[in-house]
Structures are given as structure tokens and as C-alpha cells.
Amino acid sequence: MALNMFQIILISAWAFWGIIDALSYGIGFNNCIMACLFTGIVVGNPSYGLVVGGTLQMTQLGAGTYGGASIPNITSSGMITTALGAGTIASGASISEISTSAVTMAASVGIALASLFTQLDILARFCNTFFQHRADGCVERGDEKGIQLNNVLGIIPWGLSRGLPVFFLLAFGQGLVDSILHVVPVWLLDGFKIAGGLLPVVGFAILMRYLPVKKTPQYLILGFVLAAYVGQL
């Protein structure tokens, strides 16, 4: 499905603002599920966006930027995957009608992009030091307005590290993605599907490793029971 420029700008703007929100207000714009759901709404397939966002979010459960560490950027990659893959799913399809193979393929592609985007996170941190050094100089001169300005300008490299890749891949990436899918062997695509199905389990395993499961096993049991019950509805 070809996206128009308004859709591309709207999705890119969300990606740009998402990381700013994550570093400041914390409203939730950088949440993968919310970002993919928004992308799905923009491209006319919110169910697909919700499923992709939820699947990718599970791959990163328990992971965090502790000590300023850079982790795979599942939010931007999820938005790209949703936007480019929504055309393969019937518009208005319910969550249950979205095939497992389509979701696992989207997850595997999204995870690969997320890992690649880790480097852009590092680049954003590096570029941000330019404004911070300028702010240090303003501190020495007692320039309060300069301090405020340079700290605000620091949002530019952060926002661009998310907004630019989303914009360029949505504007020029569909043809590239289609070409790759026609060239890549079937056995390799099947491998991606398997990996995409396994990684959410890894995310849960990481989360359970950090949670006090042994101290409160009743909540774990209750969660599985409720999940099984809801699945039968």
C-alpha cells in the first residue's frame, strides 16, 4: 500500500515526538503499542498496528536503558513495519483474522530494524553533547538564557534519530522491501518467521527473571489462569 505524504509526515512526527516525550513528560507516546496503534489508524488498519505493537513490545519486556544504555528501538521499527505491512492485511480485519505468519514476519523484520536503530540512538547521544558543551560555556559566562536554549536544542538530535529513519523508510522503503522479499530465499523467510515467534517468549523470560516470582507465585498462577480463560471467550 502506497502511503501519501501527509500520512508519512504524520507518522514521522509521532516518532520524532515520541522519544522527546520518553525523555521528559513520560505520557506514553514512545510506547510501542500506542505508536503502532496510531500508525495503524493512520494507514487504515488499527487492528494490525495493535497486534504488531503488542508482539514487538513483548520482545523487550524487562529491558531498559539502565545507566544510559542503548537498547533496540522497537517503537520506530514497529511503526515502519506497521505502515509498510498494513497493506497485506485486509482493511477492517479483526485481531483474530490476522494470520500468525503475518505477525511473526512483521516481528522478525521489526526486530532487525530495531537492532539497527540502536546505532542511531548512540549517534543521537553523541550529537547531543554538542549542545551540552555549549550549555557548559553559558554556565561559565552566567548566560541563563543560553543554558535554557541549548538544553532545549538538545531535543533536535534525539527527535531526528527517530523521525528521519521513519520518514525515509516510509517514503522510499516500500520498493526496497518488495525487492528484498522477492530475492530472499523461502527457507530464510521461514527462519525469520520462527525467530519472530520465539523472541516474544524470550522477552517474557527476561521479565520473569527480574520479577520476584518465587516470592509471589500466586500472581503468576492467577495471570496464566486469566489468560487461558480470556482466550476461551
Side-chain angles (χ1 to χ4, degrees), residues 17-18 21 49 53 62 80 115 122 129 152 157 170 180 183 186 190 194 196 200 204:
W17 177 252
D21 173 72
I80 294 170
S115 300
I122 297 172
T129 59
V152 171
L170 293 187
I180 292 175
V183 173
V186 176
D190 291 339
I194 295 173
F204 271 109

Side-chain angles (χ1 to χ4, degrees), residues 33-81:
I33 298 176
M34 295 297 296
C36 291
L37 175 59
F38 170 79
T39 304
I41 293 173
V42 172
V43 299
N45 207 325
S47 295
Y48 182 69
L50 188 61
V51 172
V52 171
T55 303
L56 288 175
Q57 186 70 63
M58 286 191 294
T59 68
Q60 209 169 80
L61 291 174
T65 55
Y66 308 116
S70 294
I71 59 177
N73 180 8
I74 60 170
T75 302
S76 297
S77 62
M79 297 178 75
I80 294 170
T81 305

Side-chain angles (χ1 to χ4, degrees), residues 58-145:
M58 286 191 294
T59 68
Q60 209 169 80
L61 291 174
T65 55
Y66 308 116
S70 294
I71 59 177
N73 180 8
I74 60 170
T75 302
S76 297
S77 62
M79 297 178 75
I80 294 170
T81 305
T82 300
L84 295 182
T88 62
I89 307 298
S91 180
S94 65
I95 293 177
S96 60
E97 293 173 335
I98 300 174
S99 66
T100 302
S101 61
V103 175
T104 52
M105 175 58 73
S108 60
V109 174
I111 292 165
L113 285 175
S115 300
L116 178 63
F117 289 164
T118 304
Q119 307 307 316
L120 295 178
D121 183 85
I122 297 172
L123 180 61
R125 295 171 187 269
F126 178 77
C127 293
N128 188 258
T129 59
F130 170 76
F131 297 103
Q132 294 308 307
H133 284 311
R134 291 188 58 183
D136 291 340
C138 292
V139 171
E140 295 176 356
R141 298 191 300 272
D143 183 1
E144 295 184 5
K145 291 185 177 180

Side-chain angles (χ1 to χ4, degrees), residues 125-195:
R125 295 171 187 269
F126 178 77
C127 293
N128 188 258
T129 59
F130 170 76
F131 297 103
Q132 294 308 307
H133 284 311
R134 291 188 58 183
D136 291 340
C138 292
V139 171
E140 295 176 356
R141 298 191 300 272
D143 183 1
E144 295 184 5
K145 291 185 177 180
I147 298 171
Q148 296 174 4
L149 176 62
N150 282 284
N151 277 284
V152 171
L153 291 176
I155 70 174
I156 295 177
W158 280 110
L160 291 179
S161 70
R162 271 65 175 178
L164 278 182
V166 171
F167 178 85
F168 281 115
L169 282 176
L170 293 187
F172 309 108
Q174 185 63 66
L176 177 61
V177 171
D178 292 340
S179 299
I180 292 175
L181 291 178
H182 281 90
V183 173
V184 176
V186 176
W187 60 266
L188 184 58
L189 291 177
D190 291 339
F192 284 152
K193 292 179 182 179
I194 295 173

